[in-house]
Amino acid sequence: KVGMNVQDLAKLLHRDATEIIKKLFLLGVVTNQNQSLDEDTIEVLAADYGIEAKQKEEEDVADIDRFFDDETINEEALEPRAPVVTIMGHVDHGKTTLLDYLRKTNVTAGEAGGITQHIGAYQARLNDKLITFLDTPGHAAFTEMRARGANVTDITVLVVAADDGVQPQTIEAINHAKAAGTPVIVAVNKIDKEGANPEQVMNELMAHDLVPEEYGGDTIFVQISAKFGKNVDQLLEMILLEADVLELKADPTQPARGSVIEARLDKGRGPVSTVLIQQGTLHVGDPIVVGNTYGRVRTMTNEKGQDIDAAKPATPVQITGLNEVPLAGDRFIVMADEKTARAAGEERAKRAREEVRNAGSVVTLDTLFNTM
Ligand code: GDP
Ligand code: MG
């Protein structure tokens, strides 16, 4: 430690100060009780006593990613959690229709009252089991979130219209799911339509490694009509089945952490953010760092607009109380106190500004050659 004197060191080593001074003298260092010692001297002396002196590494307050390390998880406290599902597929194949149907018919929290709000995510229920759906279909959102480090999706539902088959964005979606390492469940949609050809869709998808079980593969296919709700419950069942295989668990006992699903500025309430809790339990009043901003959770509501005090893993909630609007995909973590949260948030914002400034001044080979 810097600034340690002989007396401090003597105490630390459980030795007499005079003994230390004598030892130092033999090592060629003339000193007295109050003289502060440099690091090297301390190290040499400690080594003489058979102790390895190590500078205590200063923890980086701005590094919130370290809290996402699996090592911080308490195995004993793990509990099953709901799967988080993203719906992807080619334009007009029925993503929005499916999400709307699910929201209308299966939205939970439906414990009386409340009008469904679009907060970017919601939970559906089948036989008392919950499934969290991210409400922003679209590959851009998915990629953007992943680019920011948020890997929130457990299962991808790939919607393919039975009357249109595999299209460019279908393949793009498959590649996104592969990159994210999530299993894919295929929802062959619009089977109510004339000209629907689910067999053809299956054949086309096999060329992309999505092989149905009846052909010896392990991809689940469900034939649905999102418009009429046909077999949608069966789709939910298959999602839960896949979730069972994944054995999704989380530790609700620790301070909450997770990712931002979406965020905006509300005129009256300030920054309003939908966050997905991935570990721990989030409480109203929690001091929090979110991306490059911070705050204290002032209010917390579910997708029905109902106030809640606490939210467990895999639950999406809308929170207020942040200083600024975070970005989709930003990670959040609850801190010990507001002061630490503020310090971390401010340091992160400062570093982000510096990064932007530095990026602006970088001379690339291209610009260099262009000016030559
Ligand atoms: P998205 O672009 O993937 O979100 O597709 P939409 O959900 O907006 O659907 C595109 C069109 O297909 C809309 O006119 C829907 O009403 C229609 N559609 C979606 N699902 C079905 C279905 O199961 N059957 C029929 N007949 N039409 C559907
Ligand atoms: Mg849509």
Side-chain angles (χ1 to χ4, degrees), residues 110-160:
E111 285 80 65
I115 298 156
T116 313
Q117 324 263 315
H118 281 259
I119 66 165
Y122 58 79
Q123 290 192 304
R125 186 193 295 256
L126 184 78
N127 306 331
D128 270 341
K129 286 205 169 170
L130 294 173
I131 303 170
T132 303
F133 283 95
L134 298 186
D135 205 358
T136 40
H139 308 168
F142 189 82
T143 318
E144 201 183 311
M145 284 188 64
R146 288 220 322 126
R148 237 172 249 117
N151 223 342
V152 299
T153 304
D154 300 308
I155 296 167
T156 302
V157 168
L158 178 68
V159 175
V160 189

Side-chain angles (χ1 to χ4, degrees), residues 283-319:
H283 301 92
V284 169
D286 278 348
I288 192 172
V289 183
V290 187
N292 299 327
T293 188
Y294 66 96
R296 190 180 268 280
V297 179
R298 194 167 59 219
T299 62
M300 188 153 74
T301 48
N302 63 17
E303 70 254 25
K304 284 260 170 179
Q306 296 158 328
D307 285 319
I308 48 175
D309 302 326
K312 284 196 171 191
T315 315
V317 285
Q318 198 177 60
I319 61 165

Side-chain angles (χ1 to χ4, degrees), residues 203-249:
N203 285 329
E204 287 173 5
L205 284 174
M206 284 206 269
H208 299 278
D209 299 332
L210 295 175
V211 183
E213 281 166 334
E214 53 263 52
Y215 292 106
D218 57 4
T219 304
I220 299 171
F221 282 69
V222 186
Q223 299 189 14
I224 65 162
S225 167
K227 191 171 177 173
F228 300 104
K230 186 166 191 245
N231 292 346
V232 171
D233 271 5
Q234 199 190 325
L235 175 64
L236 295 181
E237 226 169 88
M238 292 304 137
I239 291 170
L240 288 171
L241 198 73
E242 187 71 63
D244 275 347
V245 174
L246 295 174
E247 291 187 60
L248 304 168
K249 287 184 180 138

